[in-house]
Amino acid sequence: MNQPVPSIQRLPIYLRFLKGIRNNGDVYVSCTRIAEEFGQLSVQVRKDLGITGIVGRPKIGYQIEELITAIEHFLGWDKKTDAFLVGVGNLGTAVLNYPGFVEHGLNILAAFDNDPKKKDLKFPHCKVYDLDQLEEIGKREKAEIGILAVPAGAAQEIAERLVKIGVRGIWNYTPRKLDLPSKIICEDVKLSASFAVLSRRLINEQ
Ligand code: NAD
């Protein structure tokens, strides 16, 4: 990837802030204002925003609406991206219920679980199917992303099945390192790893 990952990771935070000030009636914003909000250097903010292709105007800054459009277009959040989710437990349920992902264009077409008690559960945008229906539904409806929220032991097998039905990217919430064809884009989510770093830093600074 050409663009630096930390810059990409900061864009959603800027986006949320920009939508907030836009909704309050602001029209222009400077890098300095964004930088102050997030305790960053203005030069870093300019660099981050620059990856979207947008350039601010001296003394004026950016037109907020244009900036929002540029960030959403850069992230592909201005269009719908279809997904399947497998594993409707604590994490899977949180993802299915979180409206923020819908706002970012994530369109979960169907969720799957192997627990018969979960079958037919309804979520705001989709329902839960038995895992056995994955291939049948995958043939009918095409998804670009597979979201994995199953126990680690099941992750590799489910990921392979998702790849077989055509997903190009795996959003892997499980701790299992997946072994998939190199053309498959895999992004691991590490909430616990992040919490471990926070906890250790709190101990270090006691
Ligand atoms: P959970 O036990 O609440 O939910 C797992 C769900 O997967 C259950 O509904 C279960 O019925 C279903 N399931 C089990 N085997 C399956 C299979 N073969 N096919 C389809 N569905 C199956 O677990 P959780 O707390 O939601 O955690 C889910 C995963 O996320 C685990 O791998 C866990 O280690 C991981 N996790 C990741 C982070 C993170 O930082 N990314 C944090 C906590 C947990």
Side-chain angles (χ1 to χ4, degrees):
M1 183 160 49
N2 300 327
Q3 301 90 7
V5 171
S7 292
I8 296 174
Q9 287 173 333
R10 282 189 287 269
L11 291 179
I13 312 165
Y14 301 152
L15 189 60
R16 183 181 277 253
F17 169 69
L18 293 166
K19 285 185 173 173
I21 58 172
R22 186 246 342 244
N23 295 345
N24 286 338
D26 290 5
V27 178
Y28 291 97
V29 69
S30 65
C31 284
T32 315
R33 173 140 183 237
I34 302 174
E36 274 167 8
E37 181 72 21
F38 298 106
Q40 275 180 25
L41 295 175
S42 158
V43 64
Q44 181 64 68
V45 173
R46 186 168 301 111
K47 214 170 132 195
D48 291 344
L49 297 177
I51 66 174
T52 69
I54 199 160
V55 183
R57 272 171 277 171
K59 298 221 169 75
I60 297 175
Y62 302 87
Q63 216 219 348
I64 296 170
E65 203 59 59
E66 276 177 20
L67 195 48
I68 290 172
T69 304
I71 295 174
E72 288 187 329
H73 183 69
F74 175 77
L75 294 173
W77 288 359
D78 54 351
K79 63 174 179 61
K80 269 193 184 160
T81 306
D82 293 333
F84 291 136
L85 179 144
V86 187
V88 187
N90 295 300
L91 272 176
T93 300
V95 173
L96 287 164
N97 279 323
Y98 183 56
F101 295 137
V102 179
E103 238 180 76
H104 299 336
L106 184 68
N107 184 37
I108 304 179
L109 297 169
F112 299 87
D113 201 288
N114 69 352
D115 179 351
K117 290 196 286 299
K118 305 271 165 86
K119 191 170 179 259
D120 292 332
L121 276 181
K122 299 229 173 6
F123 284 88
H125 298 276
C126 70
K127 70 172 198 168
V128 182
Y129 296 87
D130 192 285
L131 182 70
D132 290 346
Q133 292 175 272
L134 180 67
E135 283 72 17
E136 172 206 331
I137 292 173
K139 238 187 226 165
R140 234 180 25 232
E141 303 191 59
K142 289 292 158 210
E144 231 182 333
I145 296 178
I147 306 170
L148 262 190
V150 293
Q156 179 66 34
E157 185 214 319
I158 305 286
E160 287 172 15
R161 286 174 66 177
L162 286 164
V163 168
K164 269 205 189 121
I165 59 168
V167 308
R168 292 200 307 123
I170 301 273
W171 199 14
N172 179 26
Y173 278 80
T174 83
R176 167 74 197 240
K177 193 93 204 103
L178 300 171
D179 182 13
L180 296 171
S182 57
K183 64 174 188 205
I184 303 299
I185 302 157
C186 193
E187 181 63 27
D188 299 328
V189 184
K190 295 172 187 142
L191 298 175
S192 303
S194 170
F195 184 50
V197 173
L198 173 67
S199 305
R200 189 58 228 174
R201 287 176 67 188
L202 285 172
I203 293 168
N204 286 347
E205 297 191 10
Q206 250 169 14

PDB file of all heavy atoms in Angstrom, residues 190-205:
ATOM      1  N   LYS A 190      -7.483  -5.725  16.862  1.00  0.00           N
ATOM      2  CA  LYS A 190      -6.819  -6.147  18.100  1.00  0.00           C
ATOM      3  C   LYS A 190      -7.248  -5.291  19.286  1.00  0.00           C
ATOM      4  O   LYS A 190      -6.442  -4.551  19.848  1.00  0.00           O
ATOM      5  CB  LYS A 190      -5.311  -6.052  17.914  1.00  0.00           C
ATOM      6  CG  LYS A 190      -4.799  -7.016  16.863  1.00  0.00           C
ATOM      7  CD  LYS A 190      -3.348  -6.773  16.554  1.00  0.00           C
ATOM      8  CE  LYS A 190      -2.913  -7.624  15.388  1.00  0.00           C
ATOM      9  NZ  LYS A 190      -1.990  -6.926  14.500  1.00  0.00           N
ATOM     10  N   LEU A 191      -8.498  -5.399  19.682  1.00  0.00           N
ATOM     11  CA  LEU A 191      -8.992  -4.607  20.814  1.00  0.00           C
ATOM     12  C   LEU A 191      -8.235  -4.971  22.083  1.00  0.00           C
ATOM     13  O   LEU A 191      -7.819  -4.105  22.849  1.00  0.00           O
ATOM     14  CB  LEU A 191     -10.479  -4.883  21.057  1.00  0.00           C
ATOM     15  CG  LEU A 191     -11.451  -4.527  19.936  1.00  0.00           C
ATOM     16  CD1 LEU A 191     -12.852  -4.964  20.294  1.00  0.00           C
ATOM     17  CD2 LEU A 191     -11.433  -3.037  19.695  1.00  0.00           C
ATOM     18  N   SER A 192      -8.056  -6.274  22.309  1.00  0.00           N
ATOM     19  CA  SER A 192      -7.405  -6.698  23.556  1.00  0.00           C
ATOM     20  C   SER A 192      -5.942  -6.265  23.573  1.00  0.00           C
ATOM     21  O   SER A 192      -5.413  -5.890  24.622  1.00  0.00           O
ATOM     22  CB  SER A 192      -7.494  -8.222  23.720  1.00  0.00           C
ATOM     23  OG  SER A 192      -8.834  -8.602  23.691  1.00  0.00           O
ATOM     24  N   ALA A 193      -5.290  -6.313  22.400  1.00  0.00           N
ATOM     25  CA  ALA A 193      -3.889  -5.897  22.332  1.00  0.00           C
ATOM     26  C   ALA A 193      -3.775  -4.416  22.685  1.00  0.00           C
ATOM     27  O   ALA A 193      -2.885  -3.999  23.439  1.00  0.00           O
ATOM     28  CB  ALA A 193      -3.344  -6.144  20.931  1.00  0.00           C
ATOM     29  N   SER A 194      -4.714  -3.636  22.198  1.00  0.00           N
ATOM     30  CA  SER A 194      -4.705  -2.208  22.473  1.00  0.00           C
ATOM     31  C   SER A 194      -4.953  -1.966  23.963  1.00  0.00           C
ATOM     32  O   SER A 194      -4.298  -1.127  24.592  1.00  0.00           O
ATOM     33  CB  SER A 194      -5.793  -1.557  21.611  1.00  0.00           C
ATOM     34  OG  SER A 194      -5.996  -0.248  21.988  1.00  0.00           O
ATOM     35  N   PHE A 195      -5.890  -2.732  24.544  1.00  0.00           N
ATOM     36  CA  PHE A 195      -6.184  -2.587  25.977  1.00  0.00           C
ATOM     37  C   PHE A 195      -4.974  -3.003  26.814  1.00  0.00           C
ATOM     38  O   PHE A 195      -4.674  -2.407  27.850  1.00  0.00           O
ATOM     39  CB  PHE A 195      -7.426  -3.423  26.335  1.00  0.00           C
ATOM     40  CG  PHE A 195      -7.856  -3.273  27.765  1.00  0.00           C
ATOM     41  CD1 PHE A 195      -8.016  -2.000  28.322  1.00  0.00           C
ATOM     42  CD2 PHE A 195      -8.106  -4.370  28.566  1.00  0.00           C
ATOM     43  CE1 PHE A 195      -8.413  -1.841  29.649  1.00  0.00           C
ATOM     44  CE2 PHE A 195      -8.492  -4.227  29.884  1.00  0.00           C
ATOM     45  CZ  PHE A 195      -8.648  -2.950  30.431  1.00  0.00           C
ATOM     46  N   ALA A 196      -4.240  -4.044  26.350  1.00  0.00           N
ATOM     47  CA  ALA A 196      -3.037  -4.496  27.074  1.00  0.00           C
ATOM     48  C   ALA A 196      -2.002  -3.368  27.123  1.00  0.00           C
ATOM     49  O   ALA A 196      -1.377  -3.120  28.169  1.00  0.00           O
ATOM     50  CB  ALA A 196      -2.450  -5.733  26.395  1.00  0.00           C
ATOM     51  N   VAL A 197      -1.853  -2.666  25.995  1.00  0.00           N
ATOM     52  CA  VAL A 197      -0.874  -1.568  25.950  1.00  0.00           C
ATOM     53  C   VAL A 197      -1.307  -0.455  26.909  1.00  0.00           C
ATOM     54  O   VAL A 197      -0.510   0.061  27.702  1.00  0.00           O
ATOM     55  CB  VAL A 197      -0.728  -1.021  24.503  1.00  0.00           C
ATOM     56  CG1 VAL A 197       0.146   0.221  24.479  1.00  0.00           C
ATOM     57  CG2 VAL A 197      -0.141  -2.099  23.595  1.00  0.00           C
ATOM     58  N   LEU A 198      -2.585  -0.116  26.890  1.00  0.00           N
ATOM     59  CA  LEU A 198      -3.094   0.928  27.796  1.00  0.00           C
ATOM     60  C   LEU A 198      -2.850   0.520  29.255  1.00  0.00           C
ATOM     61  O   LEU A 198      -2.344   1.309  30.051  1.00  0.00           O
ATOM     62  CB  LEU A 198      -4.597   1.140  27.555  1.00  0.00           C
ATOM     63  CG  LEU A 198      -5.284   2.073  28.550  1.00  0.00           C
ATOM     64  CD1 LEU A 198      -4.785   3.509  28.394  1.00  0.00           C
ATOM     65  CD2 LEU A 198      -6.799   2.037  28.401  1.00  0.00           C
ATOM     66  N   SER A 199      -3.204  -0.729  29.584  1.00  0.00           N
ATOM     67  CA  SER A 199      -3.067  -1.202  30.976  1.00  0.00           C
ATOM     68  C   SER A 199      -1.621  -1.120  31.429  1.00  0.00           C
ATOM     69  O   SER A 199      -1.310  -0.647  32.521  1.00  0.00           O
ATOM     70  CB  SER A 199      -3.547  -2.652  31.095  1.00  0.00           C
ATOM     71  OG  SER A 199      -4.856  -2.752  30.617  1.00  0.00           O
ATOM     72  N   ARG A 200      -0.708  -1.591  30.547  1.00  0.00           N
ATOM     73  CA  ARG A 200       0.714  -1.595  30.916  1.00  0.00           C
ATOM     74  C   ARG A 200       1.235  -0.162  31.086  1.00  0.00           C
ATOM     75  O   ARG A 200       2.005   0.131  31.994  1.00  0.00           O
ATOM     76  CB  ARG A 200       1.505  -2.347  29.849  1.00  0.00           C
ATOM     77  CG  ARG A 200       2.940  -2.630  30.179  1.00  0.00           C
ATOM     78  CD  ARG A 200       3.091  -3.432  31.466  1.00  0.00           C
ATOM     79  NE  ARG A 200       4.088  -2.835  32.344  1.00  0.00           N
ATOM     80  CZ  ARG A 200       4.350  -3.237  33.582  1.00  0.00           C
ATOM     81  NH1 ARG A 200       3.689  -4.257  34.118  1.00  0.00           N
ATOM     82  NH2 ARG A 200       5.259  -2.645  34.314  1.00  0.00           N
ATOM     83  N   ARG A 201       0.780   0.726  30.210  1.00  0.00           N
ATOM     84  CA  ARG A 201       1.245   2.108  30.312  1.00  0.00           C
ATOM     85  C   ARG A 201       0.739   2.755  31.594  1.00  0.00           C
ATOM     86  O   ARG A 201       1.444   3.543  32.227  1.00  0.00           O
ATOM     87  CB  ARG A 201       0.801   2.904  29.080  1.00  0.00           C
ATOM     88  CG  ARG A 201       1.623   2.511  27.858  1.00  0.00           C
ATOM     89  CD  ARG A 201       1.164   3.202  26.613  1.00  0.00           C
ATOM     90  NE  ARG A 201       1.411   4.620  26.656  1.00  0.00           N
ATOM     91  CZ  ARG A 201       0.955   5.465  25.721  1.00  0.00           C
ATOM     92  NH1 ARG A 201       0.265   5.004  24.704  1.00  0.00           N
ATOM     93  NH2 ARG A 201       1.215   6.730  25.802  1.00  0.00           N
ATOM     94  N   LEU A 202      -0.481   2.385  32.025  1.00  0.00           N
ATOM     95  CA  LEU A 202      -1.003   2.918  33.291  1.00  0.00           C
ATOM     96  C   LEU A 202      -0.135   2.428  34.452  1.00  0.00           C
ATOM     97  O   LEU A 202       0.187   3.188  35.362  1.00  0.00           O
ATOM     98  CB  LEU A 202      -2.452   2.458  33.505  1.00  0.00           C
ATOM     99  CG  LEU A 202      -3.504   3.159  32.647  1.00  0.00           C
ATOM    100  CD1 LEU A 202      -4.857   2.494  32.799  1.00  0.00           C
ATOM    101  CD2 LEU A 202      -3.613   4.634  33.023  1.00  0.00           C
ATOM    102  N   ILE A 203       0.272   1.147  34.391  1.00  0.00           N
ATOM    103  CA  ILE A 203       1.128   0.596  35.455  1.00  0.00           C
ATOM    104  C   ILE A 203       2.473   1.312  35.455  1.00  0.00           C
ATOM    105  O   ILE A 203       2.970   1.744  36.491  1.00  0.00           O
ATOM    106  CB  ILE A 203       1.316  -0.938  35.270  1.00  0.00           C
ATOM    107  CG1 ILE A 203      -0.010  -1.644  35.485  1.00  0.00           C
ATOM    108  CG2 ILE A 203       2.395  -1.490  36.216  1.00  0.00           C
ATOM    109  CD1 ILE A 203      -0.035  -3.091  35.055  1.00  0.00           C
ATOM    110  N   ASN A 204       3.046   1.484  34.248  1.00  0.00           N
ATOM    111  CA  ASN A 204       4.367   2.125  34.143  1.00  0.00           C
ATOM    112  C   ASN A 204       4.356   3.534  34.717  1.00  0.00           C
ATOM    113  O   ASN A 204       5.355   4.008  35.236  1.00  0.00           O
ATOM    114  CB  ASN A 204       4.796   2.214  32.678  1.00  0.00           C
ATOM    115  CG  ASN A 204       5.216   0.860  32.160  1.00  0.00           C
ATOM    116  OD1 ASN A 204       5.406  -0.074  32.940  1.00  0.00           O
ATOM    117  ND2 ASN A 204       5.347   0.743  30.844  1.00  0.00           N
ATOM    118  N   GLU A 205       3.214   4.202  34.595  1.00  0.00           N
ATOM    119  CA  GLU A 205       3.200   5.616  34.997  1.00  0.00           C
ATOM    120  C   GLU A 205       2.584   5.850  36.359  1.00  0.00           C
ATOM    121  O   GLU A 205       2.267   6.965  36.703  1.00  0.00           O
ATOM    122  CB  GLU A 205       2.507   6.427  33.901  1.00  0.00           C
ATOM    123  CG  GLU A 205       3.325   6.297  32.650  1.00  0.00           C
ATOM    124  CD  GLU A 205       2.960   7.216  31.527  1.00  0.00           C
ATOM    125  OE1 GLU A 205       2.160   8.128  31.764  1.00  0.00           O
ATOM    126  OE2 GLU A 205       3.507   6.991  30.451  1.00  0.00           O
TER     127      GLU A 205
END
